[in-house]
Amino acid sequence: MAIKLSADEISRYQNDGVVAPITVMQPSVASELRRRLESAESSFPQIIGPEKRNNAHYVLACLDEIVHHDEILDAVECLIGPDIILTNTVLFIKEPNSLHHVTYHQDATYMGLKPQDSLTAWIALTESTPENGCVRMIRGSHLLDIQQHVDTFGEDNILTRGQQIENIDEEHALDIELEPGQMSLHHARTIHGSRPNKSANRRIGIALQSFARPSTRQVHGEDYALLVRGSDDYGNFTKGPRPKAEVDLENVEFRDGVNARLSEILYAGAEKQRGY
Ligand SMILES: O=C(O)CCC(=O)C(=O)O
């Protein structure tokens, strides 16, 4: 393994619950991945779009390359060890001048993963800035228990339930500014959110959510994952296929099944359900 994170970066993750920016690919590589993603978006809107944003890595080779990217996994390995599974991916795309935003929340609240020490890698395929609605993190909040979340189902809120932790003191919020090809890593309990995109360009991020040790359990029943590095001596998750083509239509049914299962987990106990 190439040691990707410095001792300082590891201690920032441990103390703050987030570390960024980490450069994992050249901007030109990120830009080519963006081109392939946008080509799939325009050719296959029935497979990828605002309501089809989860787990597209089972179908699109460009996203499969990201989830198996050595530099990303080297960094994750520094934090959780050599055996790594990935449970889901989410495309967080904010269109230019749109109201879409993310209220403050802790990922671990509804994910059903125990223990709650998994992490998210958020990969920027465009720049991510305060103007275009970069993610904002509350430093040190991963050391708190899960806070009370209120389901708002807000129209422009791109979280499933529009869940939010109220009365956040934003004084310690950190803007996670990234260039294309950089990423942030955040702990499953770190409180974070993001504001609308006020720029004239798209903001594209892909959240690899969550990277976990194979010993992690899904407490809401069966769930799916990819073994992305090392070995799995536990078998707690059903393993998914990798795409065998740029857009592998044969995997669409499997991906739909994974997303249906994910919805059951994320909406457990909710009053209603949206299309994603
Ligand atoms: O992309 C965003 O604005 C929010 C991302 C997020 O909530 C996450 O990665 O968990």
Side-chain angles (χ1 to χ4, degrees), residues 92 94 102 105 107 120 122 133 135 186 192 194 203 207 209:
F92 282 107
K94 287 185 185 162
V102 171
H105 67 285
D107 297 333
T120 294
W122 196 101
V135 182
H186 71 264
H192 60 286
S194 67
R203 191 219 67 170
Q209 186 163 71

Side-chain angles (χ1 to χ4, degrees), residues 252-271:
V252 170
E253 194 178 336
F254 175 83
R255 184 258 190 142
D256 287 347
V258 172
N259 285 348
R261 178 72 196 108
L262 178 63
S263 286
E264 281 174 34
I265 293 169
L266 296 179
Y267 285 103
E271 275 177 16

Side-chain angles (χ1 to χ4, degrees), residues 41-192:
E41 267 184 296
S42 61
S43 304
F44 297 94
Q46 73 281 21
I47 293 175
I48 177 164
E51 299 219 335
K52 293 277 182 185
R53 62 187 193 173
N54 293 335
N55 291 314
H57 65 285
Y58 285 121
V59 178
L60 303 188
C62 60
L63 300 187
D64 177 74
E65 282 174 30
I66 294 177
V67 310
H68 291 92
H69 192 81
D70 269 335
E71 302 281 310
I72 296 173
L73 296 177
D74 288 346
V76 172
E77 181 169 343
C78 292
L79 300 178
I80 63 172
D83 299 322
I84 307 172
I85 59 166
L86 173 69
T87 55
N88 295 289
T89 61
V90 187
L91 278 165
F92 282 107
I93 299 179
K94 287 185 185 162
E95 299 300 340
N97 293 307
S98 61
L99 293 175
H100 291 129
H101 64 280
V102 171
T103 38
Y104 282 103
H105 67 285
Q106 291 165 299
D107 297 333
T109 312
Y110 301 104
M111 281 180 171
L113 297 177
K114 294 282 162 62
Q116 292 175 338
D117 57 1
S118 59
L119 63 85
T120 294
W122 196 101
I123 321 297
L125 294 189
T126 62
E127 63 171 7
S128 194
T129 65
E131 193 199 5
N132 73 12
C134 65
V135 182
R136 313 193 77 216
M137 302 270 174
I138 306 294
R139 276 198 190 114
S141 52
H142 64 306
L143 301 173
L144 301 171
D145 287 335
I146 294 295
Q147 305 293 294
Q148 187 181 0
H149 288 61
V150 177
D151 292 351
T152 69
F153 288 97
E155 199 183 329
D156 296 313
N157 191 326
I158 54 180
L159 291 181
T160 46
R161 305 161 171 241
Q163 60 265 38
Q164 75 175 47
I165 304 172
E166 293 175 323
N167 304 319
I168 290 290
D169 175 4
E170 289 200 72
E171 196 188 329
H172 302 293
L174 190 65
D175 279 321
I176 307 296
E177 295 193 54
L178 301 171
E179 295 293 328
Q182 293 187 322
M183 72 170 179
S184 58
L185 296 171
H186 71 264
H187 187 282
R189 278 197 312 267
T190 304
I191 298 174
H192 60 286

